[in-house]
Amino acid sequence: MNTIRSKTSNNFLSAKEKRRNKYRFLLVCQGQLSISAVEHVIESLTPNARRIFRLLIEAFLSNVNTKDYEGMKFVELYEQCKRSFYVNNEQNLRLQLIEFIDHRLIKLCKSTQDGLEIVKLLLAEQDIMKQLLDKLN
């Protein structure tokens, strides 16, 4: 029996969706995030999303030696973003964070200490964080 093999592609996806899928593939490299993939994601962000990500990295770096630090409290992030006019309500902040969640840069979860919602960076290496902070400045 003869079969015909053809290379199929989904031409119905927008260019943005194709890029997003490519970046998702690049982000997971044997369970770790590569710095170049994260830089691609950062380059595609809006200015306010970059500023929000910078706040998360700065919070991480300032608490890197704190033993009990799990992540930045969502309420604190929201207050800082609202004060700096990056977002005007909580829902807008959550919408901004979706991009980071989709690319596995952050995770929203509950704190084991007080049960409050925290934003946890999934990049744990201090050197990578410093490189990304330099890129965001």
Side-chain angles (χ1 to χ4, degrees):
M1 174 185 245
N2 294 333
T3 58
I4 298 174
R5 293 183 186 199
S6 66
K7 183 178 178 183
T8 59
S9 66
N10 192 344
N11 292 328
F12 299 108
L13 290 176
S14 68
K16 185 176 180 180
E17 280 297 313
K18 288 178 184 178
R19 279 193 310 274
R20 179 175 283 170
N21 289 339
K22 180 177 121 182
Y23 293 140
R24 282 186 188 143
F25 176 74
L26 289 173
L27 278 175
V28 180
C29 177
Q30 297 176 354
Q32 295 179 340
L33 299 171
S34 69
I35 186 72
S36 62
V38 176
E39 286 175 348
H40 283 289
V41 172
I42 288 172
E43 289 170 3
S44 70
L45 296 174
T46 64
N48 282 346
R50 283 190 199 119
R51 292 177 187 122
I52 293 168
F53 196 58
R54 185 178 346 111
L55 288 175
L56 291 169
I57 292 174
E58 288 170 348
F60 174 83
L61 290 174
S62 65
N63 291 295
V64 75
N65 294 326
T66 307
K67 190 174 187 177
D68 296 337
Y69 185 72
E70 296 178 288
M72 188 173 193
K73 290 186 169 120
F74 181 82
V75 175
E76 290 176 19
L77 178 63
Y78 171 64
E79 288 301 321
Q80 285 185 17
C81 290
K82 188 175 178 182
R83 217 174 312 125
S84 301
F85 300 104
Y86 301 156
V87 298
N88 57 3
N89 60 42
E90 187 178 313
Q91 185 174 2
N92 285 346
L93 177 58
R94 290 187 186 278
L95 288 173
Q96 293 283 346
L97 295 179
I98 287 173
E99 189 73 24
F100 305 129
I101 294 168
D102 287 348
H103 292 293
R104 296 185 182 111
L105 298 175
I106 66 165
K107 179 180 175 181
L108 291 176
C109 55
K110 299 286 183 182
S111 171
T112 59
Q113 298 169 355
D114 53 16
L116 293 176
E117 188 173 27
I118 59 170
V119 182
K120 182 177 184 177
L121 277 169
L122 298 178
L123 299 168
E125 293 185 33
Q126 190 174 356
D127 294 336
I128 291 176
M129 293 294 198
K130 287 180 181 177
Q131 287 178 8
L132 291 175
L133 191 59
D134 290 340
K135 181 90 172 164
L136 288 166
N137 288 333

Coordinates of all heavy atoms in Angstrom, one line a residue, residues 46-55 58 77-89 92-93 96:
T46 N 5.7 44.8 26.5 CA 5.4 46.2 26.5 C 6.3 46.9 27.5 O 6.8 46.2 28.4 CB 3.9 46.4 26.8 OG1 3.7 46.0 28.2 CG2 2.9 45.7 25.9
P47 N 6.4 48.2 27.4 CA 7.3 48.9 28.4 C 6.8 48.7 29.8 O 7.7 48.5 30.7 CB 7.2 50.3 28.0 CG 6.9 50.3 26.5 CD 6.1 49.1 26.3
N48 N 5.5 48.7 30.1 CA 5.0 48.5 31.4 C 5.3 47.1 31.9 O 5.6 46.9 33.1 CB 3.6 48.9 31.6 CG 3.4 50.4 31.6 OD1 4.3 51.2 31.8 ND2 2.2 50.9 31.4
A49 N 5.1 46.1 31.1 CA 5.4 44.8 31.5 C 6.9 44.6 31.8 O 7.2 43.9 32.8 CB 5.0 43.8 30.3
R50 N 7.8 45.2 31.1 CA 9.2 45.2 31.4 C 9.4 45.8 32.8 O 10.2 45.3 33.5 CB 10.0 45.9 30.3 CG 10.2 45.2 29.1 CD 11.2 45.9 28.2 NE 11.0 45.4 26.9 CZ 10.7 46.2 25.8 NH1 10.6 47.5 26.0 NH2 10.5 45.7 24.6
R51 N 8.8 46.9 33.0 CA 9.0 47.6 34.3 C 8.5 46.7 35.5 O 9.1 46.6 36.5 CB 8.2 48.9 34.3 CG 8.9 49.9 33.4 CD 8.1 51.2 33.4 NE 8.6 52.1 32.3 CZ 7.9 52.6 31.3 NH1 6.6 52.3 31.2 NH2 8.4 53.3 30.4
I52 N 7.4 46.0 35.3 CA 6.8 45.1 36.3 C 7.8 43.9 36.5 O 8.1 43.6 37.7 CB 5.4 44.6 35.8 CG1 4.4 45.7 35.9 CG2 5.0 43.4 36.7 CD1 3.1 45.4 35.2
F53 N 8.4 43.4 35.4 CA 9.3 42.3 35.6 C 10.6 42.8 36.3 O 11.1 42.1 37.1 CB 9.7 41.7 34.2 CG 10.3 40.4 34.3 CD1 9.7 39.3 34.9 CD2 11.6 40.2 33.7 CE1 10.4 38.1 34.9 CE2 12.2 39.0 33.7 CZ 11.6 37.9 34.4
R54 N 11.0 44.0 36.0 CA 12.1 44.6 36.7 C 11.9 44.7 38.2 O 12.7 44.4 39.0 CB 12.5 46.0 36.2 CG 13.7 46.5 36.8 CD 14.2 47.9 36.4 NE 13.7 48.4 35.1 CZ 12.9 49.5 35.1 NH1 12.5 50.1 36.2 NH2 12.4 49.9 33.9
L55 N 10.6 45.1 38.6 CA 10.3 45.1 40.0 C 10.4 43.8 40.7 O 10.9 43.6 41.8 CB 8.8 45.6 40.2 CG 8.6 47.1 40.0 CD1 7.1 47.4 40.1 CD2 9.4 48.0 40.9
E58 N 14.2 43.0 41.0 CA 14.8 43.7 42.1 C 14.4 43.2 43.5 O 15.2 43.2 44.4 CB 14.4 45.2 42.0 CG 15.1 45.9 40.8 CD 14.5 47.3 40.5 OE1 13.4 47.6 41.0 OE2 15.1 48.0 39.7
L77 N 3.3 44.0 45.1 CA 3.6 44.3 43.7 C 2.5 45.2 43.1 O 2.8 46.1 42.4 CB 3.7 43.0 42.9 CG 3.9 43.1 41.4 CD1 5.2 43.7 41.1 CD2 3.8 41.7 40.7
Y78 N 1.3 44.9 43.4 CA 0.2 45.7 42.9 C 0.3 47.2 43.4 O 0.2 48.1 42.6 CB -1.2 45.1 43.3 CG -2.3 46.1 43.0 CD1 -2.6 46.4 41.7 CD2 -3.1 46.6 44.0 CE1 -3.7 47.2 41.4 CE2 -4.1 47.5 43.8 CZ -4.4 47.8 42.5 OH -5.4 48.6 42.2
E79 N 0.6 47.4 44.7 CA 0.8 48.7 45.2 C 1.9 49.5 44.5 O 1.8 50.6 44.2 CB 1.0 48.7 46.7 CG -0.3 48.3 47.5 CD -1.5 49.2 47.3 OE1 -1.3 50.5 47.2 OE2 -2.6 48.7 47.2
Q80 N 3.0 48.8 44.3 CA 4.2 49.4 43.7 C 3.8 49.8 42.2 O 4.2 50.9 41.7 CB 5.4 48.6 43.7 CG 6.1 48.5 45.1 CD 7.4 47.7 45.0 OE1 7.9 47.5 44.0 NE2 7.8 47.3 46.2
C81 N 3.2 48.9 41.5 CA 2.8 49.1 40.1 C 1.8 50.2 40.0 O 1.8 51.1 39.1 CB 2.2 47.8 39.5 SG 3.5 46.6 39.3
K82 N 0.8 50.3 40.9 CA -0.2 51.3 40.9 C 0.4 52.7 41.2 O 0.1 53.7 40.6 CB -1.3 51.0 41.9 CG -2.5 51.9 41.8 CD -3.6 51.4 42.8 CE -4.8 52.4 42.7 NZ -5.8 52.0 43.7
R83 N 1.3 52.7 42.2 CA 2.0 54.0 42.6 C 2.8 54.5 41.4 O 2.9 55.7 41.2 CB 2.9 53.7 43.8 CG 2.9 54.8 44.8 CD 3.7 54.5 46.0 NE 3.4 53.3 46.6 CZ 4.2 52.3 46.9 NH1 5.5 52.4 46.7 NH2 3.8 51.2 47.4
S84 N 3.4 53.6 40.6 CA 4.2 54.0 39.5 C 3.5 54.2 38.2 O 4.1 54.4 37.2 CB 5.4 53.0 39.3 OG 6.1 52.9 40.5
F85 N 2.1 54.0 38.3 CA 1.3 54.1 37.1 C 1.5 53.1 36.0 O 1.3 53.3 34.8 CB 1.3 55.5 36.5 CG 0.9 56.6 37.5 CD1 1.8 57.4 38.1 CD2 -0.4 56.7 37.8 CE1 1.5 58.4 39.0 CE2 -0.8 57.7 38.7 CZ 0.1 58.5 39.3
Y86 N 2.0 51.9 36.4 CA 2.2 50.8 35.4 C 0.8 50.1 35.2 O 0.6 49.6 34.1 CB 3.2 49.7 35.9 CG 4.5 50.3 36.2 CD1 5.4 49.6 37.1 CD2 5.0 51.4 35.6 CE1 6.6 50.1 37.4 CE2 6.3 51.9 35.9 CZ 7.1 51.2 36.8 OH 8.4 51.7 37.1
V87 N 0.0 50.0 36.1 CA -1.4 49.5 36.0 C -2.3 50.4 36.8 O -1.9 51.1 37.7 CB -1.5 48.0 36.5 CG1 -0.6 47.1 35.7 CG2 -1.2 47.9 38.0
N88 N -3.6 50.3 36.5 CA -4.6 51.1 37.3 C -5.5 50.3 38.1 O -6.3 50.8 38.9 CB -5.3 52.1 36.3 CG -6.1 51.4 35.2 OD1 -6.1 50.1 35.2 ND2 -6.7 52.1 34.4
N89 N -5.5 49.0 37.9 CA -6.3 48.1 38.8 C -5.7 46.7 38.9 O -4.8 46.4 38.1 CB -7.8 48.1 38.4 CG -8.0 47.5 37.0 OD1 -7.3 46.6 36.6 ND2 -8.8 48.2 36.2
N92 N -5.7 44.5 35.6 CA -4.7 44.8 34.6 C -3.3 44.2 35.0 O -2.6 43.8 34.1 CB -4.5 46.4 34.5 CG -5.7 47.0 33.7 OD1 -6.4 46.3 33.1 ND2 -5.8 48.3 33.8
L93 N -3.0 44.2 36.3 CA -1.8 43.6 36.7 C -1.8 42.1 36.4 O -0.8 41.5 35.9 CB -1.5 43.8 38.2 CG -0.2 43.1 38.8 CD1 1.0 43.6 38.0 CD2 -0.1 43.4 40.2
Q96 N -1.1 41.5 32.8 CA 0.3 41.7 32.5 C 1.1 40.4 32.9 O 2.0 40.0 32.2 CB 0.9 42.9 33.2 CG 0.3 44.2 32.8 CD 0.9 44.7 31.4 OE1 1.9 44.1 31.0 NE2 0.3 45.6 30.8

